[in-house]
Amino acid sequence: MSETLQTIMAEATGLSPSAISTSPRPPLDNQSNQLYGVRASNHYLIVKELLKPDELHDAPVREFRALELLASLDIAPQIVLFQPLTPLKLEQA
């Protein structure tokens, strides 16, 4: 897990990065993201890191809104933190 994601997890849980253990979850063949299992105190969390540059703007917001709509039904993961990372803008030379 990148240092940026470790910092975000520490902020989300209120714990120091050293108190959080993470492990990457094996990706499925068609998966375009990386999932991490995170243990923080007595909680088990899942962190999702999107890897395809063309998904960085729209996919996080769509997924966040979908999970918000399902929250009251208690059939999907509950959102602890939504932290979209601003992708780098590459300029053509």
Side-chain angles (χ1 to χ4, degrees), residues 19-67:
I20 301 169
S21 95
T22 61
S23 57
R25 297 175 77 177
L28 302 173
D29 289 339
N30 63 343
Q31 194 169 326
S32 64
N33 56 62
Q34 175 63 58
L35 297 176
Y36 299 91
V38 177
R39 292 217 176 270
S41 188
N42 294 329
H43 301 285
Y44 182 75
L45 308 168
I46 297 172
V47 172
K48 184 178 207 175
E49 179 180 25
L50 296 174
L51 302 175
K52 290 177 70 177
D54 59 331
E55 292 181 348
L56 294 178
H57 290 291
D58 298 333
V61 174
R62 281 194 317 267
E63 187 165 342
F64 174 77
R65 289 184 178 149
L67 290 173

